[in-house]
Amino acid sequence: TLLNINTLKKLDCDECDALTSPPYSVCKQGIKAVQRYYKDLQLERGQNQKLIPITVIGKTRAGKTSLVRSLQDSTRVLTNRTSTADKLDEATRVFNICEAEVNDSCKLVFIDFGGQEIYHFAYQLTFKAQSVPLLVIDISEFDQLLTENGEDRACQEVCMEWLSHLYLSRPSLDRPVVALTHCDTDLITKEQLQLRKQQLVDITERLRIELITKEKNVSMLTNPLLDMTTFCDISLPLIKLVDILEFSASSGQAEIHALEQALVKAASALVNEIPGSWYAILLDISSRKDEPYIKVTDIVKGIRKSRKRYTLQYIHEIGRIMWFQEIQILSGYVFHRTEILSSLIGILYDHAQCRKWEDRMHC
């Protein structure tokens, strides 16, 4: 329809971050970018790609990266860590971005965040207005924390702190998909597992209602916490017991497929369809793993300059590259390696500071 309105000069979608077609990251660029997007979708029908963004959160060593790799390989993959290593030494730093194929025309795009509290700030760096939250919880750790520290503290550590920070950063996110790891019978009995699952749901709901009630009572003014639409909607539980998925070392394809389907279902209203040529540019950039940066002129030669500009800005907006087109000295280069960006951030917020962050209340 937009393509047929010849008199349309301006499209104002400011703060309409729930848009998925066209994606908000395209709408932000204006009417010409939106028109280019729709034209390319029509021209490249059959080649277009559907991308489902997934935000993966949870404590360090919960098994987040292992689950992502399991989805990539369609089989259970476990991360091998040395038993003598510090729990922070081999963990994800800041965040990592990768894809898993659902089928030839649909991909899951994971933003796998580091599992330390100090990295909560990184939620703002992903540029993701919409995504499916995937909360990963080590149920054996929850069992131990609950025994040692009480139910409220245990639930805060494995669940509430992660969800509240994520929803505060992205207020319009829908309910999370929850995956429990370390459900092995040598770590927790079947009876204990079912009890802890029920406690996790019940305690989370109680703490959430208490927090919302407290915030409403304390402030009559605009409160960012109360802007979290799904988090503050107490008409439905934030986590449903029947929707929690369980994983152990022996989990197979059936469990991995169930998680994939749960993510696809949760993202039914969030799928971003991208023209095939736009995705080809993303693949071209992602394949250059040995280069610290890429010259814009070297990216998919032959693509029209205007199309390349809209595409690069889209890829920048979704957090896959850094492209400073407004800074003349940098506008000719694309910084595409997430690990380099993470390393630079890690210099300021490294794992060695994690304990200082955890002890901040005592300083």
Side-chain angles (χ1 to χ4, degrees):
T1 303
L2 287 175
L3 295 178
N4 299 324
I5 307 176
N6 297 325
T7 57
L8 183 62
K9 301 297 182 183
K10 182 179 180 181
L11 184 66
D12 186 359
C13 299
D14 191 34
E15 297 186 8
C16 299
D17 57 11
L19 285 169
T20 58
S21 183
Y24 181 55
S25 45
V26 174
C27 294
K28 287 176 67 175
Q29 300 182 60
I31 184 62
K32 289 185 177 179
V34 172
Q35 290 172 337
R36 181 75 266 164
Y37 167 83
Y38 277 126
K39 286 178 181 177
D40 287 348
L41 279 183
Q42 292 178 359
L43 289 170
E44 300 165 19
R45 193 168 297 163
Q47 305 172 43
N48 302 325
Q49 287 286 327
K50 293 181 179 179
L51 304 181
I52 302 175
I54 312 292
T55 302
V56 189
I57 58 173
K59 290 192 68 178
T60 186
R61 289 205 164 192
K64 302 184 297 297
T65 302
S66 292
L67 277 185
V68 171
R69 290 174 179 169
S70 297
L71 286 160
Q72 288 179 304
D73 296 348
S74 297
T75 188
R76 189 71 171 115
V77 176
L78 299 176
T79 302
N80 293 319
R81 292 192 173 101
T82 60
S83 59
T84 57
D86 186 281
K87 71 176 183 177
L88 300 179
D89 287 346
E90 298 168 339
T92 298
R93 295 176 181 269
V94 192
F95 64 91
N96 182 45
I97 298 177
C98 59
E99 294 184 358
E101 186 176 279
V102 177
N103 53 52
D104 290 342
S105 62
C106 184
K107 307 288 188 297
L108 299 174
V109 182
F110 296 98
I111 311 165
D112 179 10
F113 285 100
Q116 292 76 47
E117 288 183 39
I118 200 169
Y119 292 147
H120 286 320
F121 82 98
Y123 300 159
Q124 297 288 352
L125 300 178
T126 63
F127 303 97
K128 289 289 185 183
Q130 291 292 311
S131 63
V132 177
L134 172 59
L135 175 63
V136 182
I137 298 173
D138 177 348
I139 194 64
S140 65
E141 182 182 22
F142 177 63
D143 176 59
Q144 182 179 353
L145 287 170
L146 194 146
T147 302
E148 295 176 354
N149 302 326
E151 57 183 26
D152 285 14
R153 186 61 249 165
C155 189
Q156 287 281 6
E157 283 197 31
V158 304
C159 182
M160 284 292 289
E161 289 181 358
W162 304 97
L163 291 177
S164 58
H165 278 87
L166 182 62
Y167 283 111
L168 191 61
S169 174
R170 295 288 179 261
S172 60
L173 293 181
D174 209 337
R175 284 166 174 74
V177 174
V178 178
L180 303 183
T181 59
H182 302 90
C183 297
D184 309 75
T185 53
D186 60 331
L187 298 174
I188 185 169
T189 66
K190 291 183 179 180
E191 294 75 15
Q192 196 74 353
L193 172 61
Q194 298 308 311
L195 173 62
R196 294 311 190 211
K197 281 176 59 178
Q198 186 65 62
Q199 288 177 303
L200 179 67
V201 171
D202 294 342
I203 300 165
T204 297
E205 198 62 18
R206 175 172 58 78
L207 291 177
R208 181 172 72 112
I209 293 173
E210 288 176 1
L211 177 61
I212 295 168
T213 303
K214 178 181 177 181
E215 292 298 323
K216 287 181 178 179
N217 291 338
V218 167
S219 176
M220 297 300 292
L221 302 175
T222 301
N223 188 326
L225 188 144
L226 299 179
D227 291 335
M228 303 188 295
T229 51
T230 298
F231 188 86
C232 292
D233 178 10
I234 58 176
S235 64
L236 292 172
L238 190 64
I239 301 173
K240 293 182 179 179
L241 186 65
V242 295
D243 293 336
I244 297 177
L245 296 104
E246 301 174 12
F247 295 89
S248 66
S250 60
S251 294
Q253 281 189 327
E255 289 83 358
I256 300 302
H257 182 68
L259 176 57
E260 178 186 280
Q261 292 305 302
L263 294 171
V264 171
K265 180 180 178 181
S268 59
L270 303 180
V271 178
N272 292 326
E273 188 172 14
I274 303 304
S277 61
W278 293 36
Y279 188 68
I281 291 177
L282 193 157
L283 288 180
D284 176 56
I285 292 172
S286 300
S287 68
R288 305 190 186 196
K289 300 183 183 300
D290 296 330
E291 303 174 53
Y293 58 83
I294 307 172
K295 290 183 179 180
V296 171
T297 53
D298 290 341
I299 297 174
V300 191
K301 294 178 180 179
I303 296 291
R304 288 177 54 184
K305 185 176 180 180
S306 61
R307 179 180 294 172
K308 188 182 294 187
R309 177 165 59 84
Y310 296 139
T311 305
L312 288 179
Q313 185 60 25
Y314 163 77
I315 300 172
H316 167 81
E317 292 289 346
I318 64 171
R320 302 292 286 273
I321 63 171
M322 297 297 288
W323 182 41
F324 305 96
Q325 63 169 320
E326 303 301 328
I327 303 176
Q328 186 174 0
I329 195 173
L330 296 175
S331 61
Y333 303 91
V334 165
F335 301 89
H336 64 300
R337 291 175 57 183
T338 305
E339 64 271 23
I340 292 179
L341 177 60
S342 296
S343 297
L344 292 173
I345 296 170
I347 292 173
L348 299 176
Y349 299 92
D350 61 29
H351 284 186
Q353 295 184 23
C354 184
R355 292 175 186 81
K356 293 181 181 179
W357 177 261
E358 291 171 348
D359 296 336
R360 64 195 181 282
M361 298 302 292
H362 303 293
C363 296

